[in-house]
Amino acid sequence: MVMITFKGPDGSQTVEANIGDTILDVAKKNKIKIYGGCDGSCICGSCHIHIQGDGAKKAKAGSEISDQEADILDILDNVDDTSRLACQVRITEELDGMIVLI
Ligand code: FES
């Protein structure tokens, strides 16, 4: 179990996250508003998030960006080096304390 903080238009919320769950899973379990239109199938891009600080690098180490995720990110707005799809990042011990920007 690790702690993850979500920051968005509705404020900041720190929650417990199970190892192996995706960031989208954690958001849904805690009623945090990340849309997730394709329910994790990596085809809609509606779960686009930014990971603050060195969490982005740690997330890439634990869940590499697949070609499919990269293709989706390519067609989204406001994408940078901290961008990920919440349905494609699995929680690892190394992500304890991660800050996710919605
Ligand atoms: S939920 Fe559709 S790409 Fe993540």
Side-chain angles (χ1 to χ4, degrees):
M1 190 88 68
V2 300
M3 302 304 288
I4 304 288
T5 298
F6 291 88
K7 290 184 177 178
D10 297 334
S12 176
Q13 187 176 348
T14 300
V15 300
E16 292 182 340
N18 293 322
I19 305 298
D21 279 356
T22 66
I23 294 174
L24 184 62
D25 293 332
V26 177
K28 286 187 171 184
K29 284 179 183 173
N30 290 281
K31 300 187 180 352
I32 292 166
K33 292 179 189 169
I34 297 178
Y35 184 54
C38 70
D39 209 20
S41 299
C42 197
I43 55 174
C44 72
S46 65
C47 65
H48 178 209
I49 54 163
H50 294 271
I51 301 175
Q52 202 170 50
D54 65 351
K57 201 178 293 181
K58 290 177 181 173
K60 280 180 188 158
S63 302
E64 283 191 30
I65 299 177
S66 66
D67 289 346
Q68 186 172 350
E69 182 179 4
D71 287 346
I72 297 292
L73 289 170
D74 277 347
I75 60 172
L76 298 176
D77 293 329
N78 193 27
V79 171
D80 61 27
D81 287 347
T82 70
S83 289
R84 291 302 302 265
L85 298 179
C87 67
Q88 299 301 302
V89 178
R90 293 213 173 267
I91 303 298
T92 62
E93 292 282 355
E94 290 71 27
L95 294 180
D96 189 29
M98 175 174 64
I99 298 174
V100 174
L101 307 177
I102 301 170

